[in-house]
Amino acid sequence: MPSPLAELPVRRLTIEDLVACADLSEDRGWPREERKWGLLLSAGTGYGVDAPDGKGLLTACVVTSYGTGLAAIGMVLVARRFARQGVGRRLMQDVLRELRGTPLTLHATPYGRPLYEELGFETVGRAEMVSGHFRASGPAPTVATRPATADDLPAILRLDAEVFGEDRTHMIARLPAFSDQLRVAEDSAGLTGFAAAWPNMSTQVVGPLIARDTETAKALVASLAAGTDRPLRTDVDVRHEELLAWLKASGVESIAFNAVMASGIAALPGDWTRRFAPLTVAAG
């Protein structure tokens, strides 16, 4: 018989639910990540179910849509006291019905992957989470970088759309206010890459990381590391083996692997060779 919890109504979450979402993260042993929740709830669409005992949220997730071409699902959580009662599955099914016809992507932990496979998602890639204090190793990158200015935003948006494969202006335009650092690389023809570092609890998350080649990606990461005394954290497409080896040689350690999954498309749009790391795995 279905759990009575599965009959509770799903509602849209707003920025007013930020603390409840952070509480839910903490309940499951995740960092509170209030800054990230704030970005996702303002740029995306949150879905949740209120706990029947009146204590916050029973379950929640956020969908970040990029037109009709792609939507990313992230931050799928169920309160610990209601785990393994089908409420996460029910929330996902409800969200999938609403998004029917839209290609979807998400990053899945090994724990969550079986559920997503049952819901029709297939693994299309892998990402490696790395974290640690960056200590430059080997020859310094030869590509020059500089802080981004307001005048760079149109070029950043054009490059991002080309590499990401969909228009995510509503996310990228928030980077100057959301991040601590936003840097660009360029040549005589224009921008060749950009990257941001933003605070998340005790770390600086590097993302997005868009670059013409690995040397440009290294230069952007090194310049961001020089601007903070916090450990760096990022999620790198495992196909970028050279960048991952360089990061590990520079004191940044492997933490976990997640599956990049998709539904409705065989592969993610855009150019993976220049897409080194997402803004956040929750938003693709």
Side-chain angles (χ1 to χ4, degrees):
M1 293 292 290
S3 165
L5 297 175
E7 299 175 4
L8 295 173
V10 175
R11 68 174 177 87
R12 294 288 182 94
L13 303 179
T14 72
I15 198 67
E16 300 299 320
D17 295 296
L18 190 153
V19 172
C21 290
D23 289 345
L24 185 59
S25 290
E26 194 170 56
D27 174 75
R28 292 314 305 247
W30 290 18
R32 291 185 62 84
E33 299 186 305
E34 292 188 15
R35 191 181 187 94
K36 183 166 76 174
W37 274 112
L39 173 69
L40 295 171
L41 290 171
S42 58
T45 303
Y47 298 86
V49 177
D50 292 309
D53 57 10
K55 298 178 181 178
L57 290 167
L58 165 64
T59 183
C61 73
V62 179
V63 175
T64 308
S65 296
Y66 305 106
T68 59
L70 186 68
I73 300 174
M75 308 302 281
V76 182
L77 287 163
V78 177
R80 188 180 302 274
R81 64 194 183 280
F82 298 112
R84 299 188 178 278
Q85 298 186 54
V87 292
R89 178 190 302 275
R90 178 274 170 100
L91 176 65
M92 284 294 297
Q93 289 172 333
D94 196 89
V95 170
L96 293 178
R97 278 194 297 271
E98 184 160 330
L99 296 172
R100 187 179 291 114
T102 300
L104 304 173
T105 184
L106 55 79
H107 282 64
T109 64
Y111 176 81
R113 181 175 169 180
L115 169 62
Y116 300 127
E117 289 177 336
E118 290 178 20
L119 293 172
F121 285 83
E122 297 182 352
T123 298
V124 297
R126 293 175 76 222
E128 184 173 1
M129 180 191 296
V130 295
S131 182
H133 284 283
F134 179 89
R135 300 182 301 273
S137 172
T142 57
V143 177
T145 73
R146 61 170 175 79
T149 69
D151 291 339
D152 292 315
L153 186 57
I156 288 173
L157 292 172
R158 286 194 297 271
L159 178 61
D160 186 74
E162 179 184 333
V163 174
F164 187 74
E166 297 290 342
D167 182 1
R168 55 175 178 172
T169 297
H170 61 304
M171 293 293 286
I172 302 302
R174 286 176 162 85
L175 281 179
F178 177 72
S179 62
D180 284 347
Q181 301 182 70
L182 178 59
R183 298 187 67 87
V184 298
E186 62 187 342
D187 63 14
S188 58
L191 257 58
T192 60
F194 73 94
W198 48 275
N200 191 36
M201 310 305 291
S202 62
T203 66
Q204 285 271 299
V205 175
V206 175
L209 175 55
I210 301 291
R212 174 173 59 190
D213 49 35
T214 303
E215 193 67 17
T216 303
K218 289 180 181 179
L220 287 164
V221 171
S223 65
L224 292 171
T228 182
D229 57 2
R230 293 185 178 193
L232 300 184
R233 181 167 70 81
T234 191
D235 297 83
V236 179
D237 186 318
V238 297
R239 291 171 290 187
H240 291 296
E241 296 177 356
E242 183 182 347
L243 179 66
L244 283 166
W246 174 78
L247 286 168
K248 293 170 186 176
S250 302
V252 182
E253 300 179 350
S254 179
I255 302 299
F257 289 89
N258 289 324
V260 181
M261 306 190 78
S263 173
I265 46 173
L268 296 183
D271 180 3
W272 75 265
T273 66
R274 291 182 288 166
R275 186 176 58 238
F276 287 81
L279 194 164
T280 167
V281 295

